[in-house]
Amino acid sequence: MKKEFGLWFWIHVLLLIPAYLSPLLISWKIIILGVILLQIQYWIIDGCILTHIEMGKDRNETFIWYYLRKIYPNLNSKTTKFVIRVIVPILLITIGFILQNKLGFKPLIHF
């Protein structure tokens, strides 16, 4: 049985919040590096290390899907996994690039 809303849940949340705010916080170039490192992690260990620690190594289960399913019971795990692993990183890079290069926004960490 998974321990819901325990320590690993809060660590995950504390890492996800700045990740999703990254276009406002860090240079889009650093976001690209972070996305690459995250994709390497997904490839090497077939998922997220925190999700594996918290929930086990079910290859179709993701942290976000597990908790969103409590609100949306019919949420598809594979679609959610694709959105989280592919669409969201592309959006974060794109938003960061547009904000920082086209609109002149300076993130907290830039070079």
Side-chain angles (χ1 to χ4, degrees):
M1 178 97 180
K2 298 169 183 138
K3 183 177 180 188
E4 297 181 357
F5 308 107
L7 175 65
W8 295 111
F9 168 84
W10 291 108
I11 291 172
H12 229 137
V13 169
L14 289 174
L15 291 172
L16 284 173
I17 291 171
Y20 285 118
L21 293 174
S22 63
L24 301 172
L25 301 174
I26 59 176
S27 167
W28 66 274
K29 296 171 190 172
I30 299 172
I31 296 171
I32 290 174
L33 177 62
V35 166
I36 290 169
L37 292 173
L38 193 59
Q39 296 301 324
I40 291 170
Q41 173 188 247
Y42 292 152
W43 179 65
I44 290 174
I45 67 167
D46 198 24
C48 169
I49 187 74
L50 289 175
T51 301
H52 287 338
I53 292 169
E54 181 179 6
M55 301 180 180
K57 294 187 179 185
D58 180 347
R59 68 178 311 158
N60 292 318
E61 190 167 69
T62 62
F63 172 82
I64 291 176
W65 173 78
Y66 180 82
Y67 288 100
L68 279 178
R69 191 181 60 167
K70 295 183 176 305
I71 301 167
Y72 308 103
N74 297 324
L75 191 63
N76 183 286
S77 67
K78 290 183 181 183
T79 302
T80 305
K81 184 176 176 178
F82 177 78
V83 169
I84 296 304
R85 292 190 180 182
V86 177
I87 304 298
V88 169
I90 291 170
L91 281 174
L92 291 174
I93 293 167
T94 303
I95 291 168
F97 179 81
I98 291 170
L99 277 175
Q100 296 169 24
N101 283 335
K102 303 299 179 190
L103 300 176
F105 180 80
K106 293 287 183 212
L108 292 176
I109 301 170
H110 63 281
F111 57 94

